[in-house]
Amino acid sequence: MAYASSPAIAQLGGVPVLILKEGSTRKTGREALQTNIMIAKAVAETVKSTLGPKGMDKMLIDSLGDITISNDGATILDEMDVQHPVAKLMVEISKAQDDEVGDGTTSTVVLAGELLKEAEKLLDKNIHSTVIIAGYKKALEKTDEVLRKIAVKTNIDDDETLKKVAITAMRGKSVASVREYLADLVVKAVKQITEKRGDTYVADTDYVQLIKKKGGSVRDTQLIYGIIIDKEVVHPAMPKRIENAKIALLDTPLEIEKTEIDAEIRINSPDQMQAFLEEEEKLLKEMADKIKASGANVVFCQKGIDDLAQYYLAKAGILAVRRVKKSDMEKLARATGARIITKIEDLSSDVLGTAELVEERKVADEKMVFVEGCPNPKAVTILLRGGAEHVVDEAERAIHDALSVVRNVIREPKIVAGGGAVEIEVASRLKKFAKTLSSKEQLAVIKYAEAVETIPEILAQNAGLEPVDIIAELRKKHSEGEKWAGINVYSGKVERMMDVGVIEPASVKKQVFKSATEAAIMILRIDDIIAAAPPKEKKEEGKGPSAGMPGY
């Protein structure tokens, strides 16, 4: 079967046979590969200038006119709303990187773009993409081996190292001026929620609640050993401050529930109506009495609280909050030690949680309930402040990165130096490894090394330094055995990055290489693009400027 000029038509015995729908397009072989590589390089080029502490920010304006100012790779690509499938793939790898290790999103996209750029040079020399893929896989295996050898084991109780890791993640963000203050909060928060399970330590950063409130400055950000509920106290007569709180968490409504089946109550006299209302009132009073009898003086309810129940609770001097989110209820349980109860009958003093203080406060024109001073809380809150909305948003992204990297070190206590030191060391060892290969894969491994070397090159470029001189000096230092030599973009010199305090988790670097290589390999394997025809717009016949035109 031979293909005719149209990609959707084949010739069978001289008779054209329609294979794809009319309007479908198809690109095959080299043309498909070139298109995909070009798109991936364009996406990488977009975020390249944001890499490193001296990277620039991007301003993104969505269709509603909302502004996002950021240099976070995952945020930029997500806000760009790209259309091409390969561009979407690049966005996916940055999201996967963010979900897995929370940092290194820009590096991943830039490295994937550089790997494809180098692969294109080999394709121009008629080296088959399968050979390049095999070479890249061997290079990734060697890179993983190198990272395991050079990574330095650290102690998770070494707060100074953890702070340096957090500070490194926040360099180049808009909060860089207060990064030491924020890094201190981040380390305390992650250490507080860390648990030992068997022989390993686990820190789930979902239990660090981030609450953003515009106003004040970033330095007003505070760590609360407890939880903030973004709701107000339900009744004005209730106390707004309770010390030595005994907290009940209810996943049941303090209301008279309607029957699940359609029922009809026949009332023939006013006395019957009164008895009906009194019974309702009695049931609600019993609920409030049970809460009071358990010793609780604070109630957080996941569902609704009836007006009459509110009155009885207020009369008993109990502070109550309703419609609390399920995720906040779980955090409250971890912070206060309370158990979430689904039946009022199960409420007793044993299931109550404790906190030194529960208080309603006004923050930036909004009332919120603070639950503070919890004994050994396994969920904490960082209350983020900032002068403007986009400042608070960018501070949240910086803290998210810092929380993630500190968690990564606790999960896998191994560190490496930043500033391009790892990339140069990996590249130099890959070049030596390439010499041991006898096939064309040797060329692919060399190109992989060259792609990896472009990361420190871009770091230098973004800092306004001379990349060629910097790379030459870095190569010289690494050949002399200085494996932690990297670029200090602030001094503009090559220095030992461990001494300068530029430290990253080894797990982040490993994931950068894995994600970028997998994305590059996936794109190199595509040799055929078959796109369905876009849906046609239906126009009323005889109306509009396009009436009668073909394709409408």
Side-chain angles (χ1 to χ4, degrees):
M1 187 185 284
Y3 288 103
S5 55
S6 167
I9 298 171
Q11 295 284 344
L12 184 65
V15 181
V17 179
L18 201 66
I19 296 172
L20 301 173
K21 270 188 178 180
E22 190 183 345
S24 300
T25 58
R26 183 179 179 195
K27 286 180 183 173
T28 57
R30 192 64 201 278
E31 187 191 2
L33 209 47
Q34 276 179 327
T35 304
N36 289 344
I37 290 172
M38 180 186 73
I39 299 289
K41 285 193 317 190
V43 173
E45 205 66 40
T46 308
V47 294
K48 195 186 276 188
S49 62
T50 67
L51 190 68
K54 296 274 186 172
M56 305 299 278
D57 289 357
K58 305 278 180 197
M59 180 187 276
L60 301 141
I61 304 154
D62 68 13
S63 54
L64 299 171
D66 290 335
I67 296 169
T68 303
I69 298 171
S70 180
N71 67 359
D72 181 75
T75 305
I76 293 164
L77 293 173
D78 197 32
E79 292 285 337
M80 273 167 60
D81 192 22
V82 295
Q83 291 301 309
H84 195 280
V86 170
K88 284 181 178 175
L89 176 68
M90 297 293 273
V91 175
E92 282 304 312
I93 64 160
S94 76
K95 277 186 185 170
Q97 178 76 15
D98 200 34
D99 294 343
E100 188 63 30
V101 290
D103 196 19
T105 51
T106 309
S107 302
T108 304
V109 174
V110 170
L111 182 56
E114 291 299 327
L115 287 169
L116 289 166
K117 195 177 183 179
E118 296 300 328
E120 196 173 26
K121 292 174 187 174
L122 295 177
L123 290 166
D124 289 340
K125 291 178 182 174
N126 291 323
I127 293 172
H128 199 276
S129 54
T130 309
V131 176
I132 301 168
I133 290 165
Y136 276 10
K137 281 181 179 174
K138 282 186 178 173
L140 178 61
E141 282 171 24
K142 185 67 182 174
T143 300
D144 208 38
E145 185 192 308
V146 171
L147 285 170
R148 277 201 304 273
K149 281 180 183 172
I150 66 172
V152 177
K153 199 164 174 47
T154 187
N155 188 344
I156 64 162
D157 294 322
D158 182 358
D159 287 3
E160 273 309 303
T161 299
L162 293 177
K163 269 179 76 174
K164 284 174 184 174
V165 169
I167 288 168
T168 302
M170 287 191 280
R171 283 181 199 270
K173 305 283 184 190
S174 60
V175 296
S177 56
V178 291
R179 60 178 179 259
E180 291 201 12
Y181 171 70
L182 294 178
D184 193 42
L185 297 186
V186 163
V187 170
K188 283 177 182 171
V190 177
K191 290 292 285 288
Q192 187 60 47
I193 60 153
T194 299
E195 295 174 294
K196 191 170 186 182
R197 293 183 193 166
D199 296 332
T200 57
Y201 286 91
V202 177
D204 186 348
T205 50
D206 285 347
Y207 293 120
V208 178
Q209 184 188 34
L210 289 177
I211 297 280
K212 301 183 292 181
K213 287 293 164 197
K214 188 174 72 173
S217 74
V218 179
R219 199 169 274 281
D220 295 327
T221 296
Q222 54 183 303
L223 172 64
I224 288 153
Y225 287 94
I227 299 297
I228 298 172
I229 303 299
D230 207 347
K231 302 271 180 186
E232 54 186 283
V233 174
V234 291
H235 197 280
M238 284 178 177
K240 299 291 188 281
R241 177 187 172 94
I242 288 189
E243 292 180 16
N244 299 319
K246 297 279 184 286
I247 299 162
L249 302 180
L250 304 178
D251 182 13
T252 180
L254 295 178
E255 298 170 328
I256 303 299
E257 291 190 63
K258 292 182 175 68
T259 55
E260 287 184 15
I261 52 168
D262 287 335
E264 194 177 282
I265 299 169
R266 294 187 185 276
I267 292 172
N268 301 318
S269 70
D271 292 346
Q272 283 179 321
M273 185 68 193
Q274 187 61 34
F276 180 75
L277 293 171
E278 280 173 6
E279 188 59 30
E280 264 200 0
E281 193 175 321
K282 184 185 160 198
L283 288 168
L284 289 166
K285 189 173 188 309
E286 279 175 11
M287 286 181 186
D289 288 345
K290 275 173 190 163
I291 291 169
K292 189 181 177 184
S294 72
N297 51 15
V298 175
V299 173
F300 290 101
C301 186
Q302 200 173 321
K303 296 187 168 71
I305 301 177
D306 189 274
D307 291 352
L308 202 53
Q310 290 177 28
Y311 164 74
Y312 287 124
L313 290 171
K315 207 173 172 187
I318 295 168
L319 182 155
V321 180
R322 65 178 167 183
R323 310 265 179 228
V324 179
K325 287 189 296 188
K326 186 184 177 187
S327 59
D328 285 347
M329 291 290 280
E330 287 169 5
K331 289 186 183 86
L332 278 167
R334 281 179 65 90
T336 63
R339 286 216 315 269
I340 299 170
I341 297 302
T342 51
K343 277 187 176 180
I344 287 283
E345 291 75 22
D346 296 339
L347 197 58
S348 66
S349 58
D350 303 343
V351 300
L352 301 181
T354 56
E356 284 175 17
L357 177 68
V358 175
E359 184 180 23
E360 182 186 83
R361 293 180 202 155
K362 200 171 185 181
V363 181
D365 293 336
E366 279 185 52
K367 287 177 181 174
M368 299 192 293
V369 176
F370 285 67
V371 181
E372 288 185 300
C374 301
N376 192 26
K378 287 297 166 192
V380 295
T381 301
I382 294 175
L383 178 61
L384 266 168
R385 307 304 307 278
E389 201 70 56
H390 72 264
V391 172
V392 181
D393 289 343
E394 186 66 351
E396 183 194 21
R397 286 188 279 270
I399 285 181
H400 162 74
D401 286 2
L403 285 168
S404 299
V405 293
V406 173
R407 174 205 65 195
N408 294 337
V409 173
I410 284 172
R411 194 193 283 169
E412 188 185 332
K414 288 183 177 179
I415 53 169
V416 292
V422 168
E423 285 79 5
I424 292 290
E425 185 66 19
V426 164
S428 67
R429 295 202 189 192
L430 280 176
K431 283 173 185 172
K432 285 175 190 168
F433 168 66
K435 289 173 187 173
T436 65
L437 301 172
S438 55
S439 65
K440 286 179 185 174
E441 288 169 9
Q442 181 191 89
L443 299 172
V445 173
I446 290 168
K447 288 297 179 192
Y448 189 101
E450 286 174 9
V452 169
E453 259 184 5
T454 56
I455 297 288
E457 202 175 295
I458 294 163
L459 282 175
Q461 207 169 311
N462 289 348
L465 306 172
E466 185 52 61
V468 177
D469 297 345
I470 293 281
I471 296 297
E473 194 178 341
L474 277 172
R475 282 177 183 159
K476 181 175 177 288
K477 291 272 188 190
H478 280 262
S479 66
E480 291 167 359
E482 279 279 358
K483 66 177 177 182
W484 299 133
I487 311 160
N488 183 342
V489 294
Y490 295 100
S491 67
K493 292 174 185 170
V494 170
E495 295 176 31
R496 261 182 65 87
M497 300 318 281
M498 281 288 190
D499 299 345
V500 181
V502 179
I503 302 168
E504 296 183 60
S507 57
V508 171
K509 285 292 178 197
K510 278 183 196 169
Q511 193 61 40
V512 166
F513 286 112
K514 279 181 189 170
S515 301
T517 310
E518 283 170 12
I521 286 171
M522 192 181 289
I523 290 167
L524 286 170
R525 288 176 68 91
I526 299 166
D527 78 331
D528 209 334
I529 305 169
I530 301 166
K536 293 178 182 178
E537 290 182 30
K538 289 182 180 175
K539 299 268 180 181
E540 283 187 51
E541 209 172 316
K543 287 188 180 178
S546 305
M549 287 176 66
Y552 284 81

